[in-house]
Amino acid sequence: MEIWKSSRWPARHAVRRALVFNPYLPPEVGAKIVPLLNSTDLAELASDSSVPPSLREQATRLLTQGPIGG
């Protein structure tokens, strides 16, 4: 949680990815990170059974919707 609250670390892709794939991250925090991931990460997240189902579903929705406005 402290890493996510920091102004420095969440800007780094590797940190966002590590946080969202952490099964102990609260889902409400993960839900804020998922839209910041790239399509490769979203696809991996959508099939990762170690993360909460709500995050997998969110990743799947984002993958099927495609880019905003597209």
Side-chain angles (χ1 to χ4, degrees), residues 12-21 33-48 51 55-60 62-63:
R12 297 176 184 248
H13 174 262
V15 173
R16 288 192 304 255
R17 180 180 158 74
L19 286 171
V20 80
F21 279 92
I33 300 172
V34 172
L36 305 175
L37 299 176
N38 62 36
S39 59
T40 302
D41 292 337
L42 289 173
E44 189 176 340
L45 185 64
S47 64
D48 189 334
V51 297
L55 298 184
R56 292 196 310 266
E57 293 165 7
Q58 183 181 12
T60 300
L62 289 170
L63 281 169

Side-chain angles (χ1 to χ4, degrees), residues 4-16:
W4 176 246
K5 290 178 184 178
S6 163
S7 61
R8 177 180 177 191
W9 295 111
R12 297 176 184 248
H13 174 262
V15 173
R16 288 192 304 255

